[in-house]
Amino acid sequence: MTVSISLPLAHQTSAAAALYLQVQLAINTHDGQLIFTTLSNAEPTLMPALLRQLTLQERVLTWTFLSKVSPELAANLLDHYSNTEMVQLASALPDNCVNTLFPYLRSSDRRILLNDLPNKQQTKLQQAMPSTWKAAEEASLTYQAYTAAGICKNEVVKLSQHATVSQLSQFLHDDEQHYEYQEWRYVFLHDPDGRYLGGLKLKDVFNLPPDSLLQDYLDASLPVIKPDSDLQALRSQLNNTPHPVLPVVDSRGLQLGVVGFKQLNEALYRQSKQQLLEQSGVFGGDEFRTMPTLKRNIRRLAFLLPSVVLSYAAVSIIAQFESTIAQFALLAAILPLVANLSGAAGNQAVAISIRELAVGTISSKDWLYVLAKEIPIGMVNGVLIGAVLALLSYFTYGEEQLALPLLVAMAYMISSTLAVLIGGALPLLLAKLKLDPAMLSSPLLTTLTDAISFLSVLTLASMILL
Amino acid sequence: MTVSISLPLAHQTSAAAALYLQVQLAINTHDGQLIFTTLSNAEPTLMPALLRQLTLQERVLTWTFLSKVSPELAANLLDHYSNTEMVQLASALPDNCVNTLFPYLRSSDRRILLNDLPNKQQTKLQQAMPSTWKAAEEASLTYQAYTAAGICKNEVVKLSQHATVSQLSQFLHDDEQHYEYQEWRYVFLHDPDGRYLGGLKLKDVFNLPPDSLLQDYLDASLPVIKPDSDLQALRSQLNNTPHPVLPVVDSRGLQLGVVGFKQLNEALYRQSKQQLLEQSGVFGGDEFRTMPTLKRNIRRLAFLLPSVVLSYAAVSIIAQFESTIAQFALLAAILPLVANLSGAAGNQAVAISIRELAVGTISSKDWLYVLAKEIPIGMVNGVLIGAVLALLSYFTYGEEQLALPLLVAMAYMISSTLAVLIGGALPLLLAKLKLDPAMLSSPLLTTLTDAISFLSVLTLASMILL
C-alpha cells in the first residue's frame, strides 16, 4: 500500500477525499476496468483537484491501465493538465501507451507532444499518426506556435470533389466514434491530388436530395487563411467574416485544417498567461506547487540571480556618495522612496506598451509616438506626486530642513518623467531586437529607474544641501 | 475639412494612410453608402489600425451613417474595438442608431452594453431587444460576468417539441440572414411553456426523412450546465464531454443559451488580460494611448497616489535609524538592495498563488499548504542569494568592513524568506476577503517586504556594526 505524503488541501471535501482513496485503490490493484469505472462515474467538478493530487507515479499507472480500457477517456482526461504536465506525463509513459492514446488527442495536443517530447518518442509518434490527417499535421508542425497553422484544428471533414449528399451522410454516421472533436459544420472538397477546392456549410445541404452533388453548393463567401498569418491578422479576418471557422490552406493547396475564434482565444489566453507569469519573474511556463521543490527553486533562481547583478549595479551608485549620506542620513530614506515610486510609474507605461504591441495598435517602430504620448503623463505625474512628496516630507522633517522637500520634489519629477518615457519605449526596443518584452522589460526598467533616481537624489543633494 | 492632429504611426503603410483619407472623406460628406463601400472593400488586415485611428467624433459619424446602410457591417466592425471603446462609442451614438445596431450584435456584446451603458440608454435597449431571445437574455443579465450564464451565447436554435426534420430545414434556411452568429450545430426542443426538454445534434438528423420527429433523436448524453457555474466548474464539465457546446438551463427550465470552449477561453483571456494590467498598476481595463491624456493621467494616478502613502510608510522606518546611517553611510546602498531583491522573490510567489487560485488548484483556505510549499524555496533562495550578496560586498567594500558581508547575507535571508511566505499567502487572504488579489497583492507585498527589509538591515546593523 502506498502512503500519500502530499499535504491535504484544506478545501477538499470528504467526497473528494473518498474519490482519491478509491482511485488509489484501483491503481494499486492494477485494475484498468476499475480505474475506468471510478473515473467515468466521478462527479466532474471533483476531477481537477483529483487529477492534480495524483503523484507522477500514480498518473503513469492510471494512464497506462486506463488507455488499455478506454483510450478516449484517457485522452479526454489529459485536458485537465497543463501542457507542461501533459508532456511530463507522456514522456514517463510506456511507448505503446502513448501510441494508443495519440490518435484520440486533439490536434493541438498532438502538436505539443510532437514538438516537446524527446526526439526518440517523437519519431515513434510520427509513425503512429492516422494516415488521414498525417500530411496536414506534418505541414502544421513546420509553422510557428502563434500562427494560423500553429493553432489550427486538423480534424475536418474532407471529401472528394464528386461526393454527394448521401456520401456525406454516410461519412458523418460512420466516423462518429473516432472523430469526437471533428469540426463538422463545414465540409471541404479536395481534388484527387489533395488540393483544396472549397468548402460548404453542412446546414446548407441539410435535407437535400441524397444524390445532390456537394460541389454545386460550395460557399463562395468562405475565405482562406494563409498558414503563416499571425494572431492579429487572423483576428482581423475572423472579424470580417460571418463564418465561425475558416480553412487554413498553404500555397501548394494543402488544407492544414480550420481555425476559428475558439483556437484564437485559446492561443491569446496562453500567450497572456505566459506574459502574466513572466512579468512577475516566473519563467518556463506554469509553476505548480506540486512540482519538485528543487525544480521550482532552480526556475525561480533563474530570474533572481540576474536580478542580483542588475540591482547591485544600480545601488553601487549610492556607494559613490558615501560622504554625502554621512552628512545627511535622511537621504537613505529618500532614495528608496523616489526609486520605488518612479519604478511604479514606469511599470504602468511598460504594461500599456506590451498590451498595445500585442493588440497591434502600435508596432516596434512607433517609439516616437509613444514618447510623445507619455511626456505629458510623466510630467503631470511628476509635478503632482512630487508636490505630495514635498508636503509629506515638509510635515515630517521639514521644519529644520527647508531644502529637503524641494529636493524630493525635483528628484521625483526628473526620475518619474524619465521612468515613464523609458517604460513606454523599452518594450518596443526589446521587440525590435526580437527579445521578449514581457520577460525583460520590468527587470531592466527597475534597474534603470533605480539608477536614475539614485543619481538625481544624490546629485541634487550635493548641490542643494551641502 | 477636418485636420487630423493625431501623430502618424511609423508602421503605417501608404495603403493604410490612403484608406484613412478615403474614410475621412466619406465621413465628411455624410455619405453612408460611400462609407459602406469603402469599409466593405478595404483590406481586412488594414482594419484594426484604421478603426483605432479614428477619433471618437469620426467614429460616431461613421457608425451613425453606416448603421443606416448596413447594420450588419456596422455591428461586425465593433468587434475591432475593446469593450471599453465599444461602450464609449455606443453612449455617444444617437439612440435610434444604437437600437438599430442592437439586434445585430453578438449576445456577449449586447450584455456588455446592457450592463455598462447609462441607465436611460439601457431601458431603451431592453425595449429594442428581439422578442425571440428576450427572456433568455434578461435572465442572463442577472448572473455575474464570470459565470456560465454570464458568458453564454443566446443565439441558439429553439423549436417546439413536435417539430419535424422538415420544419428544422425550413427554419435553418429562413433565418439565415438574421442569425449570423447562431449556434446551429445543436437544436433544442422546448415545451409550450418554454421549458427545456433536450437537445440533439444537427448532424444526427442529417438527411433523415422530412417528417421524422426531432424528439425521437434527442441526445441523452448532452448534459446541462447550471447558470451560476463558475469558469472552473464549466471547464471541468466541458472537459468531461465530447460536446463542443452545452446548454445552460436554470432551475425553472429556461434555457439561457449555450456555452463552449470558445466562450470559456474568451472569458479566461479577458480575466487574464485584466490581471496582467492590474499587476502593473493599470486599473479600469485597457488603456490605449489614443484616449484623452487627462483620462489616462487620472487612471494612472489612481494607482500611484495610494502607492505614495504605502511607500512613505515603509521608508519612514529608515528615518528612525538616522544616527545609525550617519555612522555607517554604506547602509544607504544596502537598504534598497535587500528590499528590491526580497520584493522580487516575493512577487514570484504572488504570481504563482494567483495562477493556482485561477486554475482552481488551491482555494483561499489553503494558506498552510502554500506556506509549507514556500518555506523551502524561501530558505534556499535566502541562503544562496545571501551568499552571493555577501561575496559581492566583500569584494567591493569588505576589506575594512568584515561585518558588512555577514550583515547583508543575514538580512537578506530573513527578509527573502518572509517575503516569499507573505507573497504566497497574501493572494489567498485577499481572495478570502473578497478583494482582488491581482490588483492589491503586488503593492501590499512591496510595502511589507520593504518594511521587513529595512527593519532587518537596520536592526542587524545596530547590533553588529556599532
Side-chain angles (χ1 to χ4, degrees):
Chain A
M1 169 129 186
T2 319
V3 181
S4 165
I5 52 149
S6 63
L7 257 154
L9 293 175
H11 69 296
Q12 229 180 13
T13 59
S14 53
L19 179 62
Y20 183 48
L21 283 178
Q22 251 182 308
V23 172
Q24 278 191 317
L25 184 71
I27 297 170
N28 291 332
T29 53
H30 292 200
D31 183 344
Q33 192 59 49
L34 185 59
I35 296 178
F36 172 70
T37 331
T38 312
L39 290 177
S40 50
N41 293 332
E43 175 68 36
T45 51
L46 296 177
M47 293 303 275
L50 170 77
L51 295 177
R52 188 80 67 209
Q53 205 177 356
L54 298 176
T55 63
L56 180 58
Q57 204 195 343
E58 288 171 341
R59 292 178 192 185
V60 169
L61 290 173
T62 306
W63 263 265
T64 307
F65 297 116
L66 184 60
S67 64
K68 285 177 192 155
V69 180
S70 166
E72 289 98 333
L73 182 65
N76 283 352
L77 288 180
L78 280 178
D79 282 341
H80 287 281
Y81 290 127
S82 71
N83 294 346
T84 323
E85 289 173 303
M86 183 181 64
V87 172
Q88 189 190 31
L89 174 57
S91 42
L93 284 175
D95 282 344
N96 64 340
C97 170
V98 181
N99 289 354
T100 313
L101 280 174
F102 198 61
Y104 294 94
L105 295 176
R106 291 167 199 248
S107 49
S108 52
D109 288 343
R110 284 204 300 273
R111 220 166 292 145
I112 288 163
L113 290 186
L114 285 172
N115 274 320
D116 296 354
L117 280 180
N119 281 335
K120 232 177 76 189
Q121 268 187 305
Q122 280 183 26
T123 321
K124 289 200 180 123
L125 281 181
Q126 298 274 10
Q127 291 152 5
M129 200 150 22
S131 58
T132 41
W133 57 59
K134 195 160 182 167
E137 185 102 32
E138 279 177 356
S140 307
L141 278 172
T142 62
Y143 292 94
Q144 295 218 293
Y146 293 119
T147 60
I151 67 170
C152 75
K153 175 185 181 114
N154 299 131
E155 299 92 339
V156 297
V157 181
K158 290 183 182 177
L159 293 177
S160 96
Q161 62 198 118
H162 305 300
T164 60
V165 166
S166 97
Q167 283 170 322
L168 169 60
S169 172
Q170 190 81 41
F171 182 89
L172 285 178
H173 293 109
D174 279 358
D175 282 304
E176 194 153 36
Q177 280 313 310
H178 285 265
Y179 287 83
E180 261 187 2
Y181 302 124
Q182 193 166 46
E183 175 55 62
W184 51 261
R185 279 175 289 188
Y186 288 79
V187 181
F188 300 100
L189 300 186
H190 290 256
D191 73 9
D193 296 330
R195 269 190 296 270
Y196 174 84
L197 296 173
L200 54 100
K201 270 192 205 144
L202 184 80
K203 75 167 183 172
D204 289 345
V205 293
F206 184 77
N207 229 15
L208 284 181
D211 55 351
S212 316
L213 273 178
L214 293 179
Q215 60 176 328
D216 295 340
Y217 297 89
L218 285 184
D219 188 334
S221 77
L222 189 69
V224 150
I225 299 275
K226 288 194 195 127
D228 55 355
S229 307
D230 65 16
L231 300 189
Q232 291 322 313
L234 178 60
R235 168 149 64 186
S236 180
Q237 289 203 266
L238 286 169
N239 272 330
N240 281 287
T241 160
H243 297 282
V245 292
L246 297 175
V248 182
V249 178
D250 73 9
S251 54
R252 296 164 300 167
L254 177 68
Q255 184 186 0
L256 307 181
V258 291
V259 70
F261 273 109
K262 188 197 147 177
Q263 287 77 27
L264 175 66
N265 286 329
E266 204 169 68
L268 288 172
Y269 173 56
R270 247 184 296 137
Q271 232 181 7
S272 128
K273 198 187 70 176
Q274 196 185 336
Q275 285 184 358
L276 195 65
L277 288 168
E278 285 178 357
Q279 282 198 7
S280 301
V282 180
F283 299 157
D286 258 328
E287 174 187 324
F288 288 106
R289 292 202 169 92
T290 43
M291 290 179 177
T293 308
L294 180 65
K295 189 175 171 191
R296 291 167 59 218
N297 236 318
I298 291 171
R299 285 166 49 121
R300 298 219 195 161
L301 287 170
F303 170 71
L304 292 177
L305 282 171
S307 304
V308 172
V309 179
L310 291 175
S311 200
Y312 205 84
V315 301
S316 66
I317 291 173
I318 302 179
Q320 311 302 313
F321 289 83
E322 208 176 333
S323 63
T324 314
I325 294 162
Q327 290 171 66
F328 199 75
L330 268 183
L331 286 175
I334 304 301
L335 289 168
L337 184 69
V338 172
N340 286 352
L341 292 173
S342 307
N347 254 319
Q348 292 181 318
V350 163
I352 290 157
S353 284
I354 289 179
R355 275 291 300 157
E356 287 200 324
L357 283 173
V359 175
T361 319
I362 56 171
S363 84
S364 60
K365 290 178 198 145
D366 291 316
W367 57 275
L368 260 180
Y369 167 81
V370 168
L371 290 186
K373 287 287 183 179
E374 288 298 329
I375 278 186
I377 301 277
M379 286 178 42
V380 173
N381 253 355
V383 171
L384 274 179
I385 293 193
V388 172
L389 288 177
L391 280 176
L392 279 174
S393 31
Y394 176 76
F395 287 117
T396 332
Y397 2 76
E399 301 286 325
E400 65 264 48
Q401 287 292 346
L402 274 173
L404 191 72
L406 182 71
L407 164 81
V408 176
M410 284 176 64
Y412 181 77
M413 272 173 57
I414 296 168
S415 57
S416 100
T417 307
L418 288 175
V420 167
L421 292 178
I422 296 173
L426 193 57
L428 280 66
L429 178 68
L430 290 169
K432 190 152 200 158
L433 298 174
K434 309 262 174 230
L435 296 169
D436 183 354
M439 190 186 290
L440 299 173
S441 296
S442 270
L444 289 179
L445 175 80
T446 308
T447 309
L448 290 171
T449 52
D450 276 359
I452 291 169
S453 305
F454 298 156
L455 262 181
S456 58
V457 169
L458 293 166
T459 318
L460 285 172
S462 328
M463 288 158 53
I464 300 177
L465 296 178
L466 306 179
Chain B
M1 168 126 185
T2 320
V3 181
S4 166
I5 54 149
S6 63
L7 257 155
L9 292 174
H11 68 297
Q12 229 181 11
T13 58
S14 52
L19 179 61
Y20 182 49
L21 283 178
Q22 251 182 307
V23 172
Q24 277 190 319
L25 184 70
I27 297 171
N28 291 331
T29 53
H30 292 201
D31 183 343
Q33 192 59 49
L34 185 58
I35 297 178
F36 173 72
T37 331
T38 312
L39 290 177
S40 50
N41 294 332
E43 175 69 38
T45 51
L46 296 179
M47 293 302 274
L50 170 76
L51 295 176
R52 186 82 64 210
Q53 205 177 355
L54 298 176
T55 64
L56 180 59
Q57 206 196 341
E58 288 171 340
R59 292 176 194 187
V60 170
L61 291 171
T62 306
W63 264 265
T64 307
F65 297 117
L66 185 59
S67 64
K68 286 177 191 154
V69 180
S70 167
E72 288 98 332
L73 182 65
N76 283 353
L77 288 181
L78 281 178
D79 283 341
H80 287 281
Y81 289 127
S82 71
N83 295 346
T84 323
E85 288 173 304
M86 183 180 65
V87 172
Q88 191 189 29
L89 173 56
S91 42
L93 283 175
D95 283 343
N96 64 340
C97 170
V98 181
N99 289 354
T100 314
L101 279 174
F102 198 61
Y104 294 93
L105 295 176
R106 292 167 199 249
S107 48
S108 52
D109 288 343
R110 284 203 302 271
R111 220 166 292 146
I112 288 163
L113 290 185
L114 285 173
N115 274 319
D116 296 354
L117 280 180
N119 281 335
K120 233 177 74 189
Q121 270 188 303
Q122 280 182 27
T123 322
K124 289 201 180 121
L125 281 181
Q126 298 274 9
Q127 291 152 5
M129 201 152 19
S131 57
T132 40
W133 57 60
K134 195 160 183 169
E137 185 102 30
E138 280 177 353
S140 307
L141 277 172
T142 62
Y143 293 94
Q144 294 218 291
Y146 293 118
T147 59
I151 66 170
C152 75
K153 175 185 181 115
N154 299 131
E155 299 92 339
V156 296
V157 181
K158 290 183 183 177
L159 292 177
S160 94
Q161 61 198 118
H162 305 299
T164 61
V165 167
S166 96
Q167 284 171 320
L168 170 60
S169 172
Q170 191 81 39
F171 181 90
L172 285 178
H173 293 109
D174 278 359
D175 282 303
E176 194 153 36
Q177 281 312 311
H178 285 264
Y179 287 82
E180 260 186 2
Y181 302 124
Q182 192 166 46
E183 174 55 62
W184 51 263
R185 278 175 290 188
Y186 288 79
V187 181
F188 300 100
L189 300 187
H190 290 256
D191 72 11
D193 296 330
R195 267 190 297 270
Y196 174 85
L197 296 172
L200 54 98
K201 270 191 202 147
L202 185 80
K203 76 167 182 171
D204 289 345
V205 293
F206 183 77
N207 228 18
L208 285 181
D211 54 353
S212 315
L213 274 177
L214 293 178
Q215 59 176 327
D216 295 340
Y217 296 89
L218 285 184
D219 189 334
S221 77
L222 189 68
V224 150
I225 299 275
K226 290 196 194 122
D228 55 355
S229 307
D230 65 16
L231 301 187
Q232 291 323 312
L234 178 60
R235 168 148 66 185
S236 180
Q237 288 203 266
L238 286 169
N239 272 332
N240 281 287
T241 159
H243 297 282
V245 292
L246 297 175
V248 182
V249 178
D250 75 8
S251 54
R252 298 165 298 168
L254 178 69
Q255 185 185 0
L256 306 180
V258 291
V259 68
F261 274 110
K262 188 195 149 184
Q263 287 78 24
L264 175 66
N265 286 329
E266 206 168 66
L268 288 172
Y269 173 56
R270 248 183 298 137
Q271 229 181 11
S272 127
K273 199 188 70 178
Q274 195 185 338
Q275 286 183 358
L276 195 64
L277 289 168
E278 286 179 356
Q279 282 197 6
S280 302
V282 181
F283 300 156
D286 258 327
E287 172 185 326
F288 287 107
R289 291 202 170 90
T290 44
M291 291 179 178
T293 307
L294 180 65
K295 189 175 170 191
R296 290 168 60 219
N297 237 318
I298 290 171
R299 286 165 48 119
R300 297 217 194 163
L301 287 171
F303 170 71
L304 291 177
L305 281 172
S307 304
V308 172
V309 179
L310 291 175
S311 201
Y312 204 83
V315 301
S316 66
I317 291 172
I318 303 178
Q320 310 303 312
F321 288 84
E322 211 178 328
S323 64
T324 314
I325 295 160
Q327 290 172 65
F328 200 76
L330 268 182
L331 286 176
I334 304 300
L335 288 168
L337 183 69
V338 172
N340 285 352
L341 292 173
S342 307
N347 254 320
Q348 292 182 319
V350 163
I352 290 158
S353 284
I354 289 179
R355 275 291 300 155
E356 287 200 323
L357 282 173
V359 175
T361 319
I362 56 171
S363 86
S364 61
K365 291 179 197 147
D366 291 317
W367 57 276
L368 259 179
Y369 167 82
V370 168
L371 291 185
K373 287 287 185 180
E374 288 298 329
I375 278 185
I377 301 279
M379 287 177 44
V380 173
N381 253 355
V383 171
L384 275 179
I385 294 193
V388 172
L389 289 177
L391 280 176
L392 280 173
S393 29
Y394 176 77
F395 287 118
T396 331
Y397 0 77
E399 300 286 325
E400 65 264 50
Q401 287 293 347
L402 274 173
L404 191 71
L406 182 70
L407 164 82
V408 176
M410 281 177 65
Y412 181 76
M413 270 173 59
I414 295 168
S415 59
S416 100
T417 307
L418 288 175
V420 167
L421 291 179
I422 296 173
L426 193 58
L428 280 66
L429 178 68
L430 290 169
K432 190 151 198 160
L433 298 174
K434 308 265 174 226
L435 296 167
D436 183 354
M439 189 187 288
L440 299 173
S441 297
S442 271
L444 289 180
L445 176 81
T446 309
T447 309
L448 290 172
T449 52
D450 277 0
I452 291 170
S453 305
F454 298 156
L455 261 182
S456 58
V457 169
L458 294 167
T459 318
L460 285 173
S462 327
M463 286 159 53
I464 300 177
L465 297 177
L466 306 178

